[in-house]
Amino acid sequence: MFFGGTGDLAYRKLYPSLFNLYKKGNLRTHFAVLGTSRQTMTDDKFRAAIKKSLADSGNRADSKEASDFISHFYYQAHDVTDTAHYSVLKDAAEKLDKKYKLQGNRIFYLSMAPQFFGTIAQDLKTQGLMSTNKDAFNRLVIEKPFGRDYDSAKQLNDALSKSFEEEQIFRIDHYLGKEMIQNIEALRFGNTLVESLWNNRYIDNIQVTLSEKLGVEERASYYDNSGALRDMVQNHIMQIVSLLAMEQPVAFTDTDIRAEKVKALRSLRVYNVADAATNFVRGQYGAIDNQPDYRHEDNVPHDSTTETFVAGKLLFDNYRWSGTPFYVRTGKMLADKFTRVDVVFKKPLVDIFAFPQSQSTPLAANVLTIFVEPHAGFSLQLNAKTADAGFQTEPIKLDYMVDAAKSAETPEPYERLLHDVLKGDGTNFSSWPEVSYAWKFVDQIRRVWDLQEPQFPNYTPHSMGPAAAEELIQRDHREWIYRL
Ligand code: NAD
């Protein structure tokens, strides 16, 4: 059942992803999709919209396969704020249950504004929409954002947990559906070469960059209320960092992986006021050519203090990571659109090639880069001898990039995540303890920032952010690996 079934996300991502799962045989005959939103619409009109959504995403929407798939779609108008109205959904769900022999299994996907999540969850239970068949599943899928600070997130979680158990709640973080984010576990726990060095003895620092080329576009009113710290750091960056920092799980199961991520986040140092001010910097983009600065974008107040850029240093107080910082940065209107992780190893303690008459340049650090998007792959920088006479070293790279044909077959994040929900696998979703530790960390930065009026705008579009982001890392005698 899709709440917000006529929304942008549903049409653009969810229905095409579901169709991909259908094409691959992950959905066959025993399924029905009930779309719901406020507007009235017939099933036929809804199906025509689904057909368009499939066509717009590059599918042959007039094929027999597509029309068989679309025949499983139904529509019911419903206002989520009207408790009495849930009975129409209940009737529709029961009819479909019988028709498609669903045995009471239900998935409720809330693809709408988060202010409705609590009410919907409550009414699903009190109005009898949740299946009472003890062998059947009830699963609740919710979109981001999950609160705007720890208190509001807790309030939301308390509301949800009155109706659903933690293992029935699937909090979407679409970065966890990305191929190379899922590959972090394979890379770490599938390779002795990597995991045996994956600690503060051998790693100098880890850098996570989520860079966006565009400005706020049409999301301005939402974004201005949120900012880069809440929109990107609290969820996506904290999830990536916890996968990089966690210990090896006992087994490759959602419960074991989540347990390790939570342990890692628990040892993340929550900063006091002074450290928050030193270890995190913010930015807002200025104007360039005929593009306005952030404050003159449509739907942004001219005195907005919302940050469109964040860079920060994270420190873990545990045996594996003590003394090895994780630097993170994200922002809009930066030089390029990409996501990458750079793992910078310590240099050899002694550079034996740097004897007095040597022509050799000093050894470079080994760097393992995980390219997440737009291209997926790894790169490992090593030092090797040049092919010239004499003896000099130079950095060389071992690269593995997923080729274009393979990339085209890689499922989109939403396809993977919907598949996981169908299987009941919570590995790639954020659990409540993860969300709560991430908010507690981020709230402290926000609290400090709210005490002081920032000097905005402070970075040029198409750069890699404000000068303060360079100073943050240079102060530690380090550099960002990706630089212009
Ligand atoms: P949208 O505004 O396009 O759609 C909202 C849907 O909710 C519509 O179907 C609307 O009819 C319905 N709705 C609104 N009030 C209602 C009510 N009282 N009763 C019943 N239905 C009601 O929003 P969207 O862009 O599809 O986003 C949905 C959710 O997904 C949000 O939480 C958003 O933050 C999240 N999200 C969206 C995107 C995206 O690319 N669009 C990306 C990430 C997360």
Side-chain angles (χ1 to χ4, degrees), residues 77-130:
H78 164 76
D79 182 345
V80 297
T81 57
D82 181 352
T83 300
H85 210 180
Y86 281 76
S87 59
V88 295
L89 282 186
K90 182 170 189 253
D91 293 346
E94 279 169 3
K95 252 190 229 146
L96 293 176
D97 202 316
K98 255 192 215 118
K99 180 164 178 182
Y100 289 95
K101 302 194 174 59
L102 306 178
Q103 298 170 342
N105 292 317
R106 290 197 185 155
I107 295 173
F108 307 99
Y109 197 121
L110 311 192
S111 177
M112 51 191 309
Q115 82 243 32
F116 298 122
F117 293 170
T119 324
I120 301 175
Q122 185 183 331
D123 286 342
L124 287 176
K125 179 159 192 186
T126 59
Q127 304 309 305
L129 267 102
M130 290 170 67

Side-chain angles (χ1 to χ4, degrees), residues 4 6-9 12 37-38 78-80 111-112 143-144:
T6 59
D8 171 67
L9 182 71
R12 230 166 20 86
S37 79
R38 251 184 324 199
H78 164 76
D79 182 345
V80 297
S111 177
M112 51 191 309
E143 273 297 331
K144 78 167 202 181

Side-chain angles (χ1 to χ4, degrees), residues 9 19 54-55 63 78 100 105 127 147 149 151 154 165 188 203 225 264 297 303 307 365 390 394 422 449 452 462 465:
L9 182 71
F19 185 46
L54 300 189
S63 64
H78 164 76
Y100 289 95
N105 292 317
Q127 304 309 305
D149 52 22
D151 290 342
K154 170 135 188 6
E165 302 292 332
R188 287 190 56 191
I203 294 180
N225 223 341
E297 297 274 18
D303 58 352
E307 77 287 353
E394 64 175 350
L422 288 166
W449 283 358
Q452 237 183 13
H462 316 314

Side-chain angles (χ1 to χ4, degrees), residues 311-327:
K313 173 161 91 170
L314 280 64
L315 296 169
F316 287 92
D317 291 316
N318 61 23
Y319 192 73
R320 187 185 283 259
W321 293 118
S322 179
T324 292
F326 286 58
Y327 296 98

Side-chain angles (χ1 to χ4, degrees), residues 138-373:
N138 288 293
R139 293 177 187 146
L140 182 74
V141 188
I142 48 179
E143 273 297 331
K144 78 167 202 181
F146 199 88
R148 55 177 282 108
D149 52 22
Y150 173 74
D151 290 342
S152 57
K154 170 135 188 6
Q155 215 172 9
L156 171 56
N157 203 58
D158 288 348
L160 300 183
S161 51
K162 283 193 186 120
S163 304
F164 291 86
E165 302 292 332
E166 174 63 22
E167 61 272 15
Q168 296 177 308
I169 304 175
F170 294 76
R171 297 176 195 79
I172 297 264
D173 184 326
H174 72 279
Y175 269 75
L176 295 179
K178 291 184 192 281
E179 174 70 11
M180 294 308 289
I181 297 299
Q182 299 196 351
N183 224 329
I184 292 173
E185 288 146 311
L187 182 71
R188 287 190 56 191
F189 306 120
N191 297 292
T192 315
L193 184 71
V194 176
E195 190 53 19
S196 57
L197 304 179
W198 204 260
N199 57 53
N200 52 5
R201 280 180 69 197
Y202 301 105
I203 294 180
D204 180 75
N205 73 92
I206 296 186
Q207 305 178 10
V208 178
T209 307
L210 276 60
S211 168
E212 295 182 272
K213 200 172 182 178
L214 297 175
V216 269
E217 309 285 293
E218 67 285 346
R219 288 177 74 223
S221 27
Y222 160 73
Y223 192 84
D224 195 62
N225 223 341
S226 155
L229 186 67
R230 290 189 174 106
D231 192 47
M232 301 295 282
V233 178
Q234 186 277 336
N235 38 40
H236 312 315
I237 288 188
M238 294 300 247
Q239 283 295 329
I240 297 172
V241 165
S242 62
L243 287 168
L244 293 166
M246 72 181 183
E247 294 299 314
Q248 175 163 317
V250 173
F252 195 59
T253 66
D254 52 3
T255 322
D256 291 315
I257 294 169
R258 283 173 163 191
E260 295 306 334
K261 283 166 74 188
V262 171
K263 251 165 60 190
L265 288 169
R266 278 181 61 196
S267 51
L268 178 63
R269 188 183 305 172
V270 177
Y271 291 133
N272 60 27
V273 173
D275 288 344
T278 325
N279 292 332
F280 265 79
V281 302
R282 55 183 157 163
Q284 190 187 75
Y285 61 82
I288 194 166
D289 302 330
N290 45 10
Q291 266 177 331
D293 62 11
Y294 175 72
R295 288 174 174 173
H296 290 87
E297 297 274 18
D298 289 344
N299 300 319
V300 174
H302 292 346
D303 58 352
S304 170
T305 56
T306 299
E307 77 287 353
T308 60
F309 177 93
V310 184
K313 173 161 91 170
L314 280 64
L315 296 169
F316 287 92
D317 291 316
N318 61 23
Y319 192 73
R320 187 185 283 259
W321 293 118
S322 179
T324 292
F326 286 58
Y327 296 98
V328 302
R329 60 183 168 164
T330 182
K332 292 199 176 290
M333 213 49 123
L334 298 181
D336 211 346
K337 177 169 171 52
F338 64 87
T339 299
R340 61 188 272 166
V341 176
D342 295 290
V343 181
V344 186
F345 289 84
K346 292 186 174 170
K347 290 185 188 173
L349 292 176
V350 179
D351 181 351
I352 61 162
F353 310 113
F355 51 90
Q357 292 81 33
S358 151
Q359 303 285 310
S360 259
T361 45
L363 293 172
N366 297 142
V367 179
L368 171 64
T369 300
I370 304 171
F371 297 103
V372 178
E373 58 190 358

Side-chain angles (χ1 to χ4, degrees), residues 2 14-22 27 33 69 73 418:
F2 284 92
L14 304 181
Y15 302 142
S17 297
L18 219 47
F19 185 46
N20 285 342
L21 290 173
Y22 180 78
L27 286 170
V33 178
F69 171 72
F73 280 69
L418 279 168

